[in-house]
Amino acid sequence: MTDLILHHYPMSPFSQKIRTMLGYAGIPWQSSVTKEAPPRPVLAALAGGYRKVPIAQIGADVFCDTRIIAAEIAAHCNKPELALENCSQEAQDWAQRADLDVFFACVLTGGSKKLKRKVLKSMSLISIVRFLFDRINMGRNASIKIVNPKHARPKVMAYLADLEPRFTDDFLFGSAPCHADFSTYHGLWFIRDLGERRMIDDFPKTIAWMDRMKAFGDGKFTAIKPQQSIIIARKATPRAIPEEHKKDPLIGKRVTIAPNDYAQEPSQGVLVGATPMRWIITRESKEVGTVNVHFPKQGYVLSQDI
């Protein structure tokens, strides 16, 4: 396997979800650190308008959304339970709750003086202003209801109370972690490890589980400059798409794909593949050559360009 490139930034919870998964999977990867907020010219060249982080890349194939990235990791390390679609319905429902309903409450609750010091140390004042302005606009334009800051802590505490008795084994749904564990971990990581808040201390089983997750580390990675990923994409060829994935009636048509929850900026390209779980569009430019960009179907909207 060509090393997976992860485009991420250190304080991104969803990036931590994937970093921890890579540590568990034991897959070597390359770390391309991007900015906390747009503009991100390298990611725009690779994925178009899509602006969520992280994004993964293997050669000339680009993977958007942690659901698709997790499916790639699952396939390459032979741990199918890391792909959300291979989990039980109960685990899928729990992961969706963690990633959408509870996540924003965790972020709002995780704020602390210690977190502010970390932000000031790692970001310039201009970057902080740009980040805050970007997140305010993202929340304002979201189609999902984001928790009121006043209700964030009670929501997290109720979630922790529900989570604690679930640990009858080492992980949420058995003796080995599945996608739901990583979805649950990253929001609580933001509270405990970044914000260094103590609100989880009264839940010993959850703390022990978090320690097991943290012990996976981030895996073995090599740092690269973002521009190197452009060169890698330009020198590579997108992987072949099986014929059975070319039966969608829109194959060969120009389409637009965008998230339907928040950060809804669209990406455009020609639809070249479709499976029950994903869409694949091809994009061409002088900068990166030809790349195939993969999106999950769940949580995204595809429309044909007129």
Side-chain angles (χ1 to χ4, degrees):
M1 172 189 176
T2 302
D3 279 2
L4 180 147
I5 301 170
L6 188 67
H7 299 271
H8 65 119
Y9 59 88
M11 289 190 287
S12 161
F14 276 97
S15 295
Q16 189 59 46
K17 173 182 176 179
I18 296 301
R19 290 189 295 255
T20 304
M21 191 177 292
L22 286 165
Y24 170 67
I27 296 176
W29 57 285
Q30 295 178 311
S31 169
S32 174
V33 176
T34 190
K35 293 180 180 179
E36 291 82 1
R40 304 182 184 115
V42 168
L43 296 192
L46 289 169
Y50 181 79
R51 49 138 305 153
K52 292 185 180 182
V53 171
I55 288 175
Q57 174 189 349
I58 301 175
D61 283 272
V62 179
F63 306 96
C64 299
D65 196 280
T66 57
R67 177 167 184 161
I68 288 293
I69 299 171
E72 290 297 312
I73 294 171
H76 286 291
C77 72
N78 195 30
K79 295 183 184 297
E81 66 280 0
L82 296 182
L84 184 61
E85 58 267 25
N86 293 330
C87 297
S88 68
Q89 188 60 54
E90 182 184 8
Q92 291 187 44
D93 292 343
W94 183 270
Q96 184 171 355
R97 177 187 177 191
D99 279 338
L100 288 178
D101 185 40
V102 179
F103 170 72
F104 289 104
C106 288
V107 171
L108 291 170
T109 303
S112 66
K113 291 182 179 179
K114 291 181 179 179
L115 177 58
K116 289 177 183 177
R117 285 198 290 269
K118 292 176 183 178
V119 170
L120 289 170
K121 186 177 180 179
S122 65
M123 297 171 64
S124 68
L125 181 59
I126 293 176
S127 295
I128 292 171
V129 172
R130 182 182 292 133
F131 176 82
L132 292 174
F133 182 75
D134 175 71
R135 293 312 192 265
I136 290 170
N137 282 337
M138 188 172 69
R140 183 182 295 126
N141 297 322
S143 64
I144 59 173
K145 184 178 181 181
I146 296 177
V147 62
N148 186 305
K150 295 180 181 179
H151 302 150
R153 183 183 175 89
K155 179 181 278 286
V156 172
M157 296 307 295
Y159 179 67
L160 288 167
D162 191 10
L163 178 64
E164 181 75 2
R166 289 178 174 269
F167 292 112
T168 57
D169 211 325
D170 283 349
F171 297 97
L172 273 171
F173 294 93
S175 59
C178 70
H179 190 104
D181 287 276
F182 298 93
S183 289
T184 304
Y185 178 69
H186 70 104
L188 300 181
W189 166 85
F190 190 87
I191 293 173
R192 186 187 76 161
D193 294 83
L194 271 189
E196 298 185 45
R197 304 209 53 184
R198 305 297 299 272
M199 57 190 295
I200 307 177
D201 287 0
D202 292 334
F203 301 91
K205 291 182 180 179
T206 300
I207 288 290
W209 165 80
M210 288 191 71
D211 290 342
R212 287 191 288 273
M213 295 293 289
K214 186 175 183 178
F216 294 140
D218 294 342
K220 184 178 180 181
F221 65 89
T222 303
I224 65 171
K225 295 180 179 180
Q227 196 61 33
Q228 289 178 259
S229 65
I230 295 289
I231 297 171
I232 290 170
R234 190 164 59 237
K235 289 183 177 180
T237 301
R239 65 193 187 194
I241 297 174
E243 288 300 317
E244 62 266 28
H245 298 163
K246 299 179 181 180
K247 296 181 179 180
D248 190 288
L250 292 180
I251 292 293
K253 305 292 185 181
R254 288 198 62 82
V255 298
T256 295
I257 299 178
N260 66 3
D261 46 18
Y262 61 94
Q264 297 170 333
E265 286 78 0
S267 293
Q268 294 178 314
V270 175
L271 188 69
V272 292
T275 76
M277 298 297 172
R278 72 174 71 185
W279 286 302
I280 307 168
I281 61 173
T282 191
R283 293 172 40 81
E284 295 185 11
S285 70
K286 291 181 180 179
E287 190 172 12
V288 298
T290 301
V291 294
N292 281 356
V293 189
H294 303 239
F295 295 91
K297 286 185 173 181
Q298 183 174 355
Y300 286 73
V301 176
L302 179 146
S303 58
Q304 183 177 357
D305 291 349
I306 304 299

